[in-house]
Amino acid sequence: MHSLARITVITLALGMSACAVHRPEPTTNLPPIPPSQPSPTPSTSPTPGKSIPAKPSKPVPRTSASFAPPPGGNSHWDQKLGVYVLDDQPNTFYRQRTYFRWNNGWTRSISPNGPWEDTDIHGVPPGLGKQFGQ
């Protein structure tokens, strides 16, 4: 019975020590999420002589809830296109580990610096295809 207890203790100790060996992955500094504010509800019957204030526009999200941003690049999430738009490279987009570029036709790459390979409208996210067409 003592040998069974020893094996159990040794197994638990080895298992627990494996957790201490792994280092956590570095985290990416994401911009802070702005706090949400309750929107005022306008009355259904406006008072004569008073105008109803316009609702404040919602802030544009910098990131997507479903897709990770591109590594190491300045970008913002475009809800309509369904991709990240690279801020420092014109007509260059990112989604799911792939960069897309429009230059009178579509190309794609795994790096923002290429190499770029030609693709057609079926190889790009649907929002991009609608925006640029081909």
Side-chain angles (χ1 to χ4, degrees):
M1 186 66 171
H2 292 297
S3 62
L4 180 60
R6 286 182 190 158
I7 291 174
T8 303
V9 169
I10 291 171
T11 303
L12 287 173
L14 286 174
M16 297 293 280
S17 67
C19 294
V21 175
H22 296 287
R23 293 185 181 183
E25 294 184 21
T27 58
T28 312
N29 290 336
L30 297 176
I33 298 173
S36 61
Q37 298 176 358
S39 60
T41 54
S43 63
T44 55
S45 59
T47 308
K50 291 186 177 181
S51 62
I52 299 173
K55 290 185 179 179
S57 62
K58 293 183 179 179
V60 177
R62 297 279 307 160
T63 60
S64 163
S66 302
F67 300 104
N74 291 333
S75 64
H76 65 276
W77 176 252
D78 188 314
Q79 183 79 26
K80 182 180 174 188
L81 299 177
V83 294
Y84 285 93
V85 178
L86 272 63
D87 296 333
D88 53 353
Q89 293 184 6
N91 293 333
T92 306
F93 312 94
Y94 177 85
R95 188 166 99 175
Q96 292 179 313
R97 300 183 192 148
T98 305
Y99 292 87
F100 302 95
R101 183 174 64 179
W102 172 259
N103 187 9
N104 295 324
W106 285 109
T107 55
R108 65 183 173 189
S109 175
I110 58 170
S111 166
N113 302 321
W116 296 92
E117 66 178 22
D118 290 335
T119 187
D120 62 6
I121 197 168
H122 302 291
V124 299
L128 287 177
K130 290 177 187 174
Q131 176 72 21
F132 288 89
Q134 195 172 10

